[in-house]
Amino acid sequence: MEGECKRRGEGQVETGVMMEGVHKVEAAPPQSTVDKMKLRLKETFFPDDPFRRFKGQPPMRKWVLGAQYLFPILDWAPNYSLSFFKSDLVAGLTIASLAIPQGISYAKLANLPPIIGLYSSFVPPLVYSVLGSSRDLAVGPVSIASLIMGSMLRQAVNPNTDPFLFLQLAFTATFFAGLFQASLGILRLGVIIDFLSKATLVGFMAGAAIIVSLQQLKNLLGIVHFTKKMAVVPVLSSVFHNTHEWSWQTVVMGISFLAFLLLARHASIRRPKLFWLSVGAPLASVIISTLVVFLLKAQNHGISIIGKLKCGLNRPSWDNLLFDSTYLGTTMKTGLVTGIISLTEGIASGRTFASLRGYQVDGNKEMMAIGLMNIVGSCTSCYVTTGAFSRSAVNHNAGCKTAMSNVVMALTVMVTLLLLMPLFAYTPNVVLAAIIIAAVIGLIDVPAAYNIWKLDKVDFLVCMSSFLGVIFISVQEGLAIAVGLSIFRILLQTTRPKMIALGNIPGTNIYRDLHQYKDAKRVPGFLILAVEAPINFSNTTYLNERMTRWIENENSMEEKETNLRFLILDLSAVPTVDTSGISFLVDLKKSTEKHGLELTLVNPMEEVMEKLQRANKIHDFLGVNSLHLTIPEAVFSLSSQNKLQHQEVSSTLFI
Amino acid sequence: MEGECKRRGEGQVETGVMMEGVHKVEAAPPQSTVDKMKLRLKETFFPDDPFRRFKGQPPMRKWVLGAQYLFPILDWAPNYSLSFFKSDLVAGLTIASLAIPQGISYAKLANLPPIIGLYSSFVPPLVYSVLGSSRDLAVGPVSIASLIMGSMLRQAVNPNTDPFLFLQLAFTATFFAGLFQASLGILRLGVIIDFLSKATLVGFMAGAAIIVSLQQLKNLLGIVHFTKKMAVVPVLSSVFHNTHEWSWQTVVMGISFLAFLLLARHASIRRPKLFWLSVGAPLASVIISTLVVFLLKAQNHGISIIGKLKCGLNRPSWDNLLFDSTYLGTTMKTGLVTGIISLTEGIASGRTFASLRGYQVDGNKEMMAIGLMNIVGSCTSCYVTTGAFSRSAVNHNAGCKTAMSNVVMALTVMVTLLLLMPLFAYTPNVVLAAIIIAAVIGLIDVPAAYNIWKLDKVDFLVCMSSFLGVIFISVQEGLAIAVGLSIFRILLQTTRPKMIALGNIPGTNIYRDLHQYKDAKRVPGFLILAVEAPINFSNTTYLNERMTRWIENENSMEEKETNLRFLILDLSAVPTVDTSGISFLVDLKKSTEKHGLELTLVNPMEEVMEKLQRANKIHDFLGVNSLHLTIPEAVFSLSSQNKLQHQEVSSTLFI
């Protein structure tokens, strides 16, 4: 400002004023409809402009880049060094020690044979290491997706009476999940997973964690007859109606190992350097408990064990995919829900660690990778897998460098599958339950919920509704409710847009919200309003009613000597209008004239300006003074050309 | 500006600069959560503040006002004059001459006995004249609602084989329609009908008009065996597969009367003063055709006639309401769809003529009135009615003054019901068909569609999809598709928000869209971005990717000597943020720092500012310079405090 005023002071006042006078509202350079459509489509589906690195490259190079885009492994493999491998080896072995017990546990969580969990920790990681663009993601089965798949399929088939059919449905659902994920990526509809807001997920995770833990009471208490339902009430009732089935040996074992795991976890949270404690704990407890059972023949004393698992790698399972119409609905629905959920977890984890290390993860690319991984998985006896957040964190802390750590993990699992399976025969289910509970407890993020409450009450409502919905209704319905609420909220922000009355901040030509800025003053004779949303069919009625009210209030407030003469509508925050919006503005112009008011539009955006011009060709409603570039200019030119004492206004304008 | 600069010139430069320097971004005066919720609820559901006229009134007066609010008749009846009555009498008789033939025709359109159409033009108008707040609305059955009710109920029951059950379902559906409309009004959810945008309606009306006309081919050609389907293809096929059923007498009669009606309509459009021509035509054709049939005994020559209609007024029908579970779904669905459609027509017509005369129509109040009218109707042998646009227009042109014209019409219909019914015995159905066609042709509004095309291509897409959907799929699905598209579009505007890069307009401190304003210049070292939507969970990912791209582009463009130092984010057009939005801003602050950029937020709105402060308590990310009131101030203070040569910037800032 100093510079400006000095200069103006130096006798250029006229030009200064002139210029203030003549700033025209411009329309953007004309563009063909096709070009506009193209641009909009690009902005909508290719915001990250994935092809920009191809621009101006020689054809050969383009091929290489293309291959690297599809197979990121070609990106890092060539300059992969021994030092890298050392780190990846450590990280890989670390996550393997987690993956094996968790794989077995989560498979049981999905009502699948434990070995499926190990299969799913072998093939998918290999696929991902070739296709995935994240360096930290540790791939495998995850608790929540397993839970959902288990619960949704169980509504169609009973896994105990008809395990093979159940298995077939699981593979089919996994296939659909993969298909769905991959197509989301290819169609670049990543936006769909954006609709699971943080608030939704916090509530959902906590709810799911509680559901999962409750489910584990079956194994933790050694109950034999347990409800098939997921919701809190039936589970608790069947826990307390079967107290006679509780076996004290199981309870003792379960509690003690759970305590051990939680303590380890607690320690590693307090002292990040002890994180290996929480990492080693699960495998340790499996080994210890297995030994205990083996030595004490505890299986004969009411402790249920996994039982024989035959050695060998994944069998092909494409012939088990079941597309007959009776179950098609179930499998597709299950695939859809588990697909979205696991995608969300995978991409969220990927992005988190990428941002920690400062590299980019292409969401749509990841979707294709995860999707393809699940399609392949469904043909090789694996159920739905994704990047597990907890294990990825371990992977990251263990200092992994590339997706090679996944390969190491996969190979370790392979060795286990080939040689060590018999050792798991005596592993007690109660320990797996303890491992699951210890793992999912971490999903209950109370501080996050508290922050949401402090920041945004509506978000908290969303969070709670998904939490309670999951707990008391069902996992997928809880999710649906939360998403519905979030979408409804967005719609409401457009259908009930913010409108603010602006006033002048004394000593400046700045105009701001009268409610927000106490020292802002209304300009006598003027009503200056700003709309803070696109003006379209959904809110024109509302805006009409609201406007009328503003004007009435204004007229009732204003003293008689300076009654309302001008209505300035600031369109700076109106990105788009549709036909209803246009006719709203046209009608407003007419109706204000009826009320003896002069309407001026200020600073219409590109698209709005363009449509105003086109509408003007039809309705011819834009007068000389009905468009201004800035509010001060509008106020200045309107008041100076009118009966209002120039002095009075200018005094309010610039003290 | 002149005033400002003169003063500044006069040695107050320092203070001037001081002031520019110290404009703080303020938060609104603190408010309790409850108050905020209250305010938001009020803004959402009571934008028109219906109770404001009660404020500060003595209790007695409040009672009167309340009664007048519920029964607008108390508002106008007291000072109702003879001159008013004269005008209302004329208008009333005029619309009656339309209502009688149309009533009979539309009832047949809904597969109901013709007399139901007359019943529905008797009771509902009386109810509305007591409850309704519009002075121009002419109440009665309308073509589209009749069409929809007929087609939807026909999917459940065949009106020819089981007419009584069909009638019961019609009454029940009407009851639900009324219930639904009234509750929309009471719950103040008028917003729901806002979701039928003009584009949707233009397409829908045209489609419905075509469907209706095609349906009438049955009567126009005298075909006996006709399809029950509504869509174009089956109808046309059954028209041309039954050519042997065509009766030339019927065809001749139909064509000639249709020509007469269309000519009359055309004439009255060309010469508004001849509007009585189009008004009189239907009744005239009924009388003439009836006489012709009667004299020529044409009913024996293949011309189907209405047949005996017994005299008498509406019978009570509440005992015919059918709530048994087999049909409950159908009737409720039908009630919902017809309810919304007729509500839309009624309220739109009401608003249109209200604005022509410059009085207000309270949407929610109208919903209650129309709803109650239909509930009463369903108990008195009426089917769904509303304010018909065409007849209201006639009513308006005929110079009606109050709802009394509806009373006059109702009484005329009553006389007809009591005395004149036998006269309709020989009225040929073909004339009714001609009347319907002539009436609905007017619903096809090609110019409107063309304007939509010129103004907004996406709206045109919506318009066409509802048009084609109605014609080729079904009335309700066509509507659903269009509404779905419109909502998807709103969501897209938030999930893919506009982001614009701002530049300085030389010679001013105005910053505008670089793309829109060719002479706007980027400020070297600065990237100034504005987001044009609420920042929330649905778009943070997008904004992230988009930002990164801006910054990369910028860095690639900028010459080395002045590389990017500052990122200014203008929040003027961001009405709200949610928790995801907040964490987006927090992360942005951190990530920009990583890139060696300084991030500044400009002009956060009330709610955003409040949340920023709360978030700052948690994350403490707002530095000294991270909030500014205006872009020029941000640019000025950032550049002056930094290594950039002050000269260089100020030169770009203020020539």
Side-chain angles (χ1 to χ4, degrees):
Chain A
M1 292 310 292
E2 185 174 18
E4 179 183 27
C5 291
K6 276 250 179 66
R7 275 182 194 58
R8 295 273 170 84
E10 285 150 26
Q12 297 184 15
V13 178
E14 282 57 35
T15 60
V17 177
M18 277 303 295
M19 299 188 66
E20 287 301 332
V22 298
H23 294 131
K24 271 184 65 279
V25 180
E26 291 176 18
Q31 230 180 347
S32 82
T33 312
V34 182
D35 294 350
K36 262 182 269 159
M37 287 284 166
K38 261 197 211 145
L39 188 68
R40 186 171 301 171
L41 283 180
K42 177 164 182 280
E43 287 303 327
T44 308
F45 295 108
F46 298 91
D48 53 340
D49 191 7
F51 302 118
R52 64 170 177 266
R53 53 211 201 106
F54 291 89
K55 287 194 190 97
Q57 299 284 1
M60 189 51 215
R61 181 90 187 105
K62 276 192 180 145
W63 278 106
V64 178
L65 284 174
Q68 287 181 343
Y69 176 77
L70 291 179
F71 306 103
I73 190 170
L74 300 176
D75 209 1
W76 54 266
N79 36 35
Y80 189 74
S81 69
L82 186 63
S83 66
F84 273 21
F85 181 70
K86 282 190 193 131
S87 334
D88 285 334
L89 184 64
V90 177
L93 291 173
T94 322
I95 50 177
S97 71
L98 258 180
I100 293 168
Q102 283 188 346
I104 297 177
S105 322
Y106 293 157
K108 290 187 74 64
L109 187 58
N111 310 311
L112 294 169
I115 195 152
I116 299 295
L118 291 180
Y119 289 162
S120 309
S121 315
F122 170 49
V123 175
L126 292 176
V127 179
Y128 185 83
S129 62
V130 177
L131 298 171
S133 53
S134 159
R135 301 175 202 156
D136 304 82
L137 222 52
V139 169
V142 294
S143 54
I144 292 190
S146 312
L147 167 77
I148 297 179
M149 176 167 279
S151 66
M152 286 184 78
L153 290 183
R154 187 148 62 170
Q155 290 162 4
V157 176
N158 179 339
N160 310 324
T161 60
D162 201 345
F164 181 65
L165 176 59
F166 192 87
L167 190 60
Q168 285 182 307
L169 295 192
F171 291 150
T172 320
T174 306
F175 174 79
F176 281 122
L179 200 64
F180 181 71
Q181 294 166 325
S183 34
L184 273 192
I186 293 160
L187 302 175
R188 307 198 56 89
L189 291 175
V191 60
I192 286 183
I193 67 164
D194 292 347
F195 276 99
L196 295 176
S197 66
K198 183 151 181 297
T200 309
L201 287 175
V202 169
F204 172 74
M205 295 284 188
I210 289 177
I211 293 288
V212 173
S213 315
L214 286 174
Q215 283 293 311
Q216 296 315 306
L217 287 180
K218 175 182 188 299
N219 299 325
L220 204 63
L221 306 172
I223 298 173
V224 184
H225 303 92
F226 203 70
T227 173
K228 305 217 164 339
K229 300 217 181 59
M230 306 291 296
V232 170
V233 185
V235 169
L236 284 183
S237 69
S238 79
V239 163
F240 291 108
H241 282 85
N242 301 315
T243 39
H244 57 282
E245 289 186 354
W246 297 16
S247 91
W248 66 268
Q249 302 93 330
T250 318
V251 176
V252 170
M253 195 173 206
I255 300 298
S256 41
F257 277 106
L258 185 55
F260 166 58
L261 288 162
L262 290 178
L263 278 175
R265 194 169 154 277
H266 186 66
S268 61
I269 290 173
R270 295 285 288 297
R271 289 247 194 78
K273 288 171 65 206
L274 295 179
F275 85 96
W276 53 266
L277 238 175
S278 62
V279 174
L283 191 59
S285 14
V286 168
I287 296 171
I288 297 168
S289 61
T290 313
L291 284 176
V292 170
V293 172
F294 182 72
L295 300 175
L296 305 182
K297 302 260 171 297
Q299 70 274 26
N300 309 337
H301 303 79
I303 289 186
S304 74
I305 57 173
I306 294 185
K308 286 252 166 302
L309 298 175
K310 51 181 142 13
C311 292
L313 297 183
N314 305 25
R315 275 171 226 62
S317 61
W318 51 75
D319 50 347
N320 291 345
L321 298 184
L322 198 66
F323 297 112
D324 94 54
S325 55
T326 25
Y327 298 111
L328 204 56
T330 318
T331 46
M332 287 178 94
K333 203 156 128 273
T334 314
L336 189 82
V337 177
T338 49
I340 292 191
I341 292 295
S342 52
L343 208 48
T344 316
E345 179 167 2
I347 299 213
S349 331
R351 287 214 176 101
T352 314
F353 297 109
S355 68
L356 282 183
R357 292 226 218 157
Y359 66 87
Q360 286 288 323
V361 167
D362 174 344
N364 292 297
K365 176 81 193 60
E366 278 297 278
M367 294 187 196
M368 293 189 234
I370 295 178
L372 210 52
M373 173 173 92
N374 278 320
I375 293 177
V376 174
S378 68
C379 303
T380 55
S381 310
C382 306
Y383 77 109
V384 66
T385 53
T386 182
F389 192 86
S390 53
R391 260 170 286 146
S392 305
V394 172
N395 196 16
H396 179 80
N397 294 336
C400 66
K401 289 274 172 292
T402 69
M404 179 59 82
S405 61
N406 276 306
V407 179
V408 175
M409 178 185 82
L411 296 179
T412 322
V413 174
M414 184 182 75
V415 173
T416 320
L417 280 167
L418 289 175
L419 312 175
L420 313 179
M421 292 318 287
L423 304 185
F424 290 106
Y426 290 95
T427 308
N429 290 317
V430 59
V431 160
L432 302 183
I435 291 173
I436 294 181
I437 295 178
V440 296
I441 286 290
L443 297 177
I444 304 177
D445 190 347
V446 178
Y450 178 61
N451 280 344
I452 293 177
W453 163 258
K454 273 196 304 187
L455 277 179
D456 189 328
K457 303 290 179 283
V458 183
D459 265 5
F460 186 73
L461 175 70
V462 171
C463 175
M464 286 324 281
S465 61
S466 75
F467 175 70
L468 297 174
V470 168
I471 287 189
F472 290 108
I473 307 173
S474 88
V475 175
Q476 52 273 37
E477 270 145 301
L479 206 54
I481 293 170
V483 173
L485 267 176
S486 324
I487 292 182
F488 177 71
R489 185 190 188 184
I490 295 186
L491 287 178
L492 212 54
Q493 284 168 348
T494 307
T495 50
R496 294 289 185 255
K498 278 221 164 58
M499 278 186 83
I500 54 181
L502 302 175
N504 174 260
I505 295 182
T508 70
N509 49 19
I510 303 171
Y511 288 77
R512 287 292 180 265
D513 183 351
L514 279 163
H515 181 253
Q516 184 177 1
Y517 293 88
K518 284 164 266 15
D519 51 0
K521 299 254 170 307
R522 7 182 114 252
V523 187
F526 286 81
L527 173 58
I528 309 175
L529 295 177
V531 180
E532 292 272 326
I535 300 180
N536 61 28
F537 67 91
S538 72
N539 57 24
T540 42
T541 321
Y542 171 82
L543 288 175
N544 248 324
E545 285 175 342
R546 204 68 192 70
M547 286 270 190
T548 341
R549 227 174 93 209
W550 276 116
I551 296 175
E552 284 177 4
N553 292 350
E554 206 64 16
N555 275 330
S556 56
M557 277 177 31
E558 292 273 347
E559 309 71 38
K560 279 285 131 288
E561 83 267 0
T562 62
N563 53 357
L564 203 54
R565 298 245 183 92
F566 309 102
L567 174 59
I568 298 183
L569 190 60
D570 179 5
L571 298 180
S572 312
V574 178
T576 64
V577 291
D578 67 354
T579 43
S580 318
I582 287 293
S583 38
F584 163 73
L585 291 174
V586 176
D587 300 346
L588 186 65
K589 182 79 181 173
K590 292 186 187 133
S591 62
T592 42
E593 273 164 9
K594 266 196 197 136
H595 289 77
L597 284 175
E598 186 165 354
L599 172 70
T600 294
L601 306 179
V602 166
N603 187 29
M605 295 285 109
E606 184 175 343
E607 189 184 327
V608 180
M609 182 61 189
E610 192 188 332
K611 284 181 182 163
L612 280 174
Q613 286 178 326
R614 282 199 237 120
N616 199 32
K617 290 206 192 81
I618 304 168
H619 307 290
D620 179 35
F621 66 109
L622 294 175
V624 196
N625 246 321
S626 30
L627 278 180
H628 284 89
L629 185 61
T630 67
I631 297 177
E633 286 180 14
V635 173
F636 186 77
S637 65
L638 284 174
S639 50
S640 58
Q641 64 153 33
N642 268 274
K643 286 134 242 69
L644 285 169
Q645 292 86 333
H646 183 295
Q647 196 43 46
E648 173 196 325
V649 177
S650 57
S651 63
T652 17
L653 282 176
F654 347 97
I655 305 220
Chain B
M1 291 309 291
E2 185 175 18
E4 181 180 27
C5 292
K6 277 249 178 65
R7 275 184 192 56
R8 296 273 171 82
E10 287 151 24
Q12 296 186 16
V13 178
E14 283 58 31
T15 60
V17 176
M18 278 303 294
M19 299 188 65
E20 288 300 331
V22 297
H23 295 132
K24 271 183 68 278
V25 180
E26 291 176 17
Q31 231 180 346
S32 82
T33 314
V34 181
D35 294 349
K36 261 181 272 162
M37 288 285 168
K38 263 198 208 142
L39 189 67
R40 185 170 303 169
L41 283 178
K42 177 160 182 284
E43 285 304 325
T44 309
F45 294 108
F46 298 90
D48 53 340
D49 192 6
F51 302 118
R52 63 170 177 267
R53 52 211 203 106
F54 290 89
K55 286 193 192 98
Q57 299 285 1
M60 188 52 218
R61 182 91 187 105
K62 275 193 180 145
W63 278 106
V64 177
L65 284 175
Q68 285 181 345
Y69 176 77
L70 290 179
F71 307 103
I73 192 171
L74 301 175
D75 209 0
W76 55 267
N79 36 33
Y80 190 72
S81 71
L82 185 63
S83 66
F84 273 21
F85 181 69
K86 282 189 192 132
S87 332
D88 285 335
L89 184 64
V90 177
L93 291 172
T94 320
I95 49 177
S97 72
L98 260 181
I100 294 167
Q102 284 189 345
I104 296 174
S105 322
Y106 292 157
K108 291 187 70 66
L109 187 58
N111 309 312
L112 294 168
I115 195 151
I116 298 295
L118 291 180
Y119 289 162
S120 309
S121 314
F122 170 48
V123 174
L126 292 176
V127 178
Y128 184 83
S129 61
V130 176
L131 297 173
S133 52
S134 160
R135 301 175 204 155
D136 302 84
L137 222 52
V139 169
V142 293
S143 53
I144 293 190
S146 313
L147 166 76
I148 298 178
M149 177 167 281
S151 65
M152 287 183 78
L153 291 183
R154 186 148 64 168
Q155 290 162 3
V157 177
N158 179 338
N160 309 323
T161 59
D162 201 345
F164 180 67
L165 176 59
F166 192 87
L167 191 59
Q168 286 183 306
L169 295 192
F171 292 150
T172 321
T174 306
F175 174 79
F176 281 123
L179 200 64
F180 181 70
Q181 294 168 325
S183 35
L184 273 192
I186 292 161
L187 303 176
R188 306 196 60 86
L189 290 177
V191 60
I192 286 181
I193 68 164
D194 292 348
F195 276 99
L196 295 175
S197 67
K198 182 150 182 299
T200 309
L201 287 175
V202 168
F204 172 74
M205 294 285 187
I210 289 177
I211 294 287
V212 173
S213 315
L214 286 174
Q215 283 293 312
Q216 297 313 308
L217 287 180
K218 174 182 188 300
N219 298 325
L220 205 62
L221 305 173
I223 299 173
V224 183
H225 303 93
F226 203 72
T227 174
K228 304 218 162 338
K229 300 214 181 60
M230 305 291 296
V232 170
V233 184
V235 170
L236 284 182
S237 70
S238 79
V239 163
F240 290 108
H241 282 85
N242 300 316
T243 39
H244 57 281
E245 289 186 355
W246 296 18
S247 94
W248 66 267
Q249 301 93 329
T250 317
V251 175
V252 170
M253 194 172 207
I255 300 297
S256 40
F257 277 106
L258 185 55
F260 166 59
L261 288 162
L262 290 178
L263 279 174
R265 198 169 152 276
H266 185 67
S268 60
I269 290 172
R270 295 285 291 295
R271 291 246 194 77
K273 286 170 67 203
L274 295 179
F275 85 94
W276 54 266
L277 240 176
S278 62
V279 174
L283 192 59
S285 5
V286 168
I287 295 169
I288 297 168
S289 61
T290 312
L291 284 174
V292 170
V293 173
F294 182 71
L295 298 175
L296 303 183
K297 302 258 171 300
Q299 71 274 27
N300 311 335
H301 303 78
I303 288 186
S304 75
I305 57 174
I306 294 185
K308 288 253 166 301
L309 299 174
K310 51 181 148 3
C311 294
L313 297 183
N314 305 25
R315 277 172 224 62
S317 61
W318 51 73
D319 50 347
N320 292 344
L321 297 185
L322 198 66
F323 297 112
D324 94 54
S325 56
T326 25
Y327 297 111
L328 204 57
T330 318
T331 46
M332 288 179 92
K333 203 155 127 275
T334 313
L336 189 82
V337 177
T338 50
I340 292 191
I341 292 295
S342 51
L343 208 49
T344 317
E345 181 169 0
I347 295 204
S349 326
R351 287 214 175 102
T352 314
F353 297 109
S355 68
L356 282 181
R357 293 227 218 156
Y359 66 87
Q360 285 290 324
V361 167
D362 174 344
N364 292 296
K365 176 79 193 59
E366 278 297 279
M367 294 188 196
M368 292 189 233
I370 295 178
L372 210 51
M373 175 175 90
N374 278 318
I375 294 177
V376 175
S378 69
C379 303
T380 56
S381 308
C382 306
Y383 77 109
V384 67
T385 53
T386 182
F389 191 87
S390 52
R391 260 170 285 146
S392 305
V394 172
N395 196 17
H396 180 79
N397 294 335
C400 65
K401 290 273 172 293
T402 67
M404 180 59 82
S405 61
N406 276 305
V407 179
V408 175
M409 178 185 82
L411 296 178
T412 322
V413 174
M414 183 182 76
V415 173
T416 319
L417 280 168
L418 289 175
L419 312 172
L420 311 180
M421 293 319 287
L423 304 184
F424 290 106
Y426 290 94
T427 307
N429 289 318
V430 59
V431 161
L432 302 182
I435 291 174
I436 293 181
I437 294 177
V440 295
I441 287 290
L443 298 177
I444 304 176
D445 190 349
V446 178
Y450 180 62
N451 279 345
I452 293 176
W453 163 258
K454 274 197 300 187
L455 275 177
D456 190 327
K457 302 291 178 284
V458 182
D459 266 4
F460 186 73
L461 176 69
V462 171
C463 175
M464 286 324 282
S465 62
S466 74
F467 176 69
L468 298 175
V470 168
I471 286 188
F472 291 108
I473 307 173
S474 89
V475 175
Q476 52 275 34
E477 270 147 299
L479 207 54
I481 294 169
V483 171
L485 267 176
S486 323
I487 292 182
F488 178 71
R489 184 190 188 183
I490 295 187
L491 286 180
L492 212 53
Q493 284 168 348
T494 307
T495 50
R496 293 289 186 253
K498 281 223 163 54
M499 277 186 85
I500 54 181
L502 302 175
N504 175 258
I505 295 183
T508 71
N509 50 18
I510 303 171
Y511 287 78
R512 289 289 180 263
D513 184 349
L514 281 163
H515 181 254
Q516 185 177 359
Y517 294 87
K518 284 162 264 23
D519 52 358
K521 300 255 170 305
R522 6 183 115 251
V523 187
F526 285 83
L527 174 57
I528 309 175
L529 295 177
V531 179
E532 292 271 325
I535 301 180
N536 60 29
F537 66 90
S538 71
N539 58 24
T540 42
T541 323
Y542 171 82
L543 288 175
N544 246 326
E545 285 174 343
R546 203 68 192 71
M547 286 269 190
T548 350
R549 226 175 93 209
W550 277 113
I551 296 176
E552 284 176 5
N553 292 350
E554 206 64 17
N555 276 330
S556 57
M557 277 176 31
E558 294 272 347
E559 310 70 38
K560 279 288 132 289
E561 83 265 1
T562 63
N563 53 358
L564 202 55
R565 297 245 183 92
F566 307 103
L567 175 60
I568 297 182
L569 190 60
D570 179 5
L571 298 180
S572 311
V574 178
T576 63
V577 292
D578 67 354
T579 42
S580 318
I582 286 293
S583 40
F584 163 75
L585 292 173
V586 176
D587 299 347
L588 185 64
K589 182 78 181 173
K590 291 187 189 131
S591 63
T592 42
E593 271 164 11
K594 261 191 201 144
H595 289 77
L597 284 174
E598 186 166 352
L599 171 70
T600 295
L601 306 178
V602 166
N603 186 29
M605 296 283 109
E606 183 175 343
E607 187 184 330
V608 180
M609 182 60 189
E610 191 188 333
K611 284 180 182 164
L612 280 175
Q613 286 179 325
R614 282 199 237 120
N616 198 32
K617 288 206 194 83
I618 305 168
H619 307 288
D620 179 36
F621 67 108
L622 294 175
V624 196
N625 247 320
S626 31
L627 277 180
H628 285 88
L629 185 62
T630 68
I631 298 177
E633 286 181 14
V635 173
F636 185 77
S637 66
L638 284 175
S639 50
S640 57
Q641 65 154 30
N642 269 272
K643 284 133 245 69
L644 286 167
Q645 292 85 335
H646 183 295
Q647 198 43 47
E648 174 196 322
V649 176
S650 58
S651 64
T652 18
L653 280 177
F654 348 96
I655 305 228

